[in-house]
Amino acid sequence: MEYENITEFILLGLISNADVKTPCSVIFSLCYLAILSGNLAILLTIRGSHLGEQPMYFFLSYLSFMDVCFTSTVAPKLITDLLVQWNTISFSGCVSQMFHAHFFGATEIFILVAMAYDRYVAICRPLHYVVIMSRRACYILVMASVIGAFIHSLMQVLIIIQLPFCGPNQIDHYFCDIFPLLKLACTDTRLLKIIIVTTTGVLSILTFVALVISYVIILSTMRTRSSEGRRKALSTCGSHITVVLMFFLPLIFTYVPMANSVSDDKVFALFYTMIAPLFNPLIYTLRNADMKNAMRKVWGPHKLLEGT
């Protein structure tokens, strides 16, 4: 049987109540500006100071860049769609948004893994740290993260572009993602859902478990350290663990479905597309003396006077 593929989708969005759409658009706009300014401030601070020479901050600069890119894939359309009546997106635009969201999101996941590995080496193998975490090794880890994310995203796209979409064309979400699109396909997608849950969902769980185990090992190792070293390591690892929890838990609930509740999926997606990137700059700066000192040097009054 031949299907006539639809050429555009309608995004039903995050909120259906018309009375609150405009206030929510303003709130999300402010959040988006805060995400951009906060993460770009971290990125420019690290690149403009000596912190960029340290592997932990080298990875943090890329994490901040990924936060900006990831949120920018979703937030602008979310904000504008709250202000218009009919939220359409072309088929190619939908596939492109899904690809970039998965690409930047997966890259962020792999960079979080690299950051955990960096902390493990720094605390558990301090004598070999400089050799193991050389600048070349850091670049290799970032490139591996990008390549792994590209392969993951390409797989999602290849699944979607071969499916027939003959109607309906309403996506019950605020951005194009794999599960909402599978629900609209004019064919049986149960096997594909199992494959996606097995790959994306289980991979998210295994990565999360591996990260938790690594931090448990790190924390157990710190018992033999001095109180000052233990305090500094706890502060650093505490920031990492907080970010991992904020990003991974909603992601797992989204890609390992417990029930057919799309509204819950939208709320969970809001956590890793908007809320986590919003709080990441605060988490990594408020309890980090090195970052605060670097920000004072890079953004202090003397710098502003030099630029005038």
Side-chain angles (χ1 to χ4, degrees):
M1 181 178 179
E2 292 187 0
Y3 297 100
E4 184 177 346
N5 270 4
I6 57 178
T7 57
E8 67 177 18
F9 295 104
I10 299 169
L11 291 167
L12 296 183
L14 181 65
I15 300 162
S16 58
N17 188 342
D19 295 333
V20 299
K21 282 189 173 183
T22 301
C24 284
S25 177
V26 174
I27 292 170
F28 286 132
S29 297
L30 294 174
C31 289
Y32 182 48
L33 289 174
I35 290 167
L36 292 180
S37 58
N39 283 287
L40 288 176
I42 286 181
L43 176 61
L44 294 175
T45 298
I46 293 172
R47 294 300 170 90
S49 69
H50 68 283
L51 291 181
E53 300 169 6
Q54 301 178 39
M56 183 182 80
Y57 296 103
F58 173 83
F59 291 128
L60 179 57
S61 68
Y62 279 97
L63 184 71
S64 295
F65 180 63
M66 286 302 117
D67 271 338
V68 170
C69 295
F70 185 33
T71 304
S72 297
T73 303
V74 176
K77 183 148 185 66
L78 167 63
I79 293 164
T80 54
D81 284 354
L82 286 168
L83 299 174
V84 297
Q85 189 70 27
W86 208 243
N87 315 320
T88 60
I89 185 169
S90 67
F91 180 83
S92 58
C94 189
V95 171
S96 175
Q97 187 186 50
M98 184 187 72
F99 172 83
H100 286 97
H102 277 264
F103 174 71
F104 293 126
T107 305
E108 191 164 345
I109 287 173
F110 293 135
I111 288 175
L112 285 171
V113 173
M115 292 175 76
Y117 177 67
D118 169 68
R119 289 301 84 200
Y120 170 79
V121 176
I123 294 170
C124 299
R125 302 188 65 186
L127 298 179
H128 304 90
Y129 180 71
V130 176
V131 175
I132 295 174
M133 297 305 298
S134 64
R135 183 46 57 102
R136 181 173 177 271
C138 292
Y139 278 118
I140 289 173
L141 286 171
V142 170
M143 286 304 301
S145 300
V146 171
I147 293 169
F150 179 81
I151 293 171
H152 162 77
S153 306
L154 186 62
M155 287 173 59
Q156 311 298 308
V157 170
L158 292 176
I159 288 172
I160 291 300
I161 60 175
Q162 65 179 343
L163 293 175
F165 293 94
C166 54
N169 66 338
Q170 294 184 335
I171 300 175
D172 192 6
H173 215 298
Y174 62 90
F175 72 97
C176 292
D177 202 5
I178 188 81
F179 279 136
L181 283 171
L182 287 178
K183 292 180 180 179
L184 300 181
C186 303
T187 186
D188 187 358
T189 59
R190 284 176 295 182
L191 180 59
L192 289 175
K193 287 178 182 177
I194 293 171
I195 293 172
I196 292 165
V197 168
T198 304
T199 54
T200 306
V202 174
L203 182 62
S204 299
I205 292 174
L206 292 176
T207 306
F208 176 70
V209 170
L211 287 171
V212 170
I213 292 172
S214 69
Y215 283 118
V216 168
I217 294 171
I218 290 169
L219 293 173
S220 64
T221 304
M222 289 192 301
R223 289 182 300 180
T224 60
R225 302 298 172 88
S226 64
S227 58
E228 177 63 23
R230 192 160 56 240
R231 185 196 61 78
K232 189 172 182 179
L234 276 171
S235 176
T236 304
C237 290
S239 300
H240 291 184
I241 293 168
T242 304
V243 171
V244 166
L245 290 173
M246 286 184 65
F247 191 86
F248 271 91
L249 291 181
L251 192 70
I252 289 169
F253 281 115
T254 300
Y255 290 100
V256 185
M258 306 300 175
N260 291 323
S261 177
V262 178
S263 59
D264 287 344
D265 287 350
K266 289 191 281 189
V267 173
F268 291 139
L270 195 64
F271 269 90
Y272 59 79
T273 57
M274 293 288 287
I275 297 174
L278 177 64
F279 282 98
N280 280 359
L282 296 174
I283 293 168
Y284 281 114
T285 56
L286 287 179
R287 297 179 61 190
N288 191 317
D290 292 337
M291 179 62 74
K292 285 189 282 190
N293 291 333
M295 292 185 87
R296 289 191 194 100
K297 291 178 181 178
V298 174
W299 304 101
H302 66 286
K303 286 289 182 180
L304 297 177
L305 290 173
E306 287 175 10
T308 58

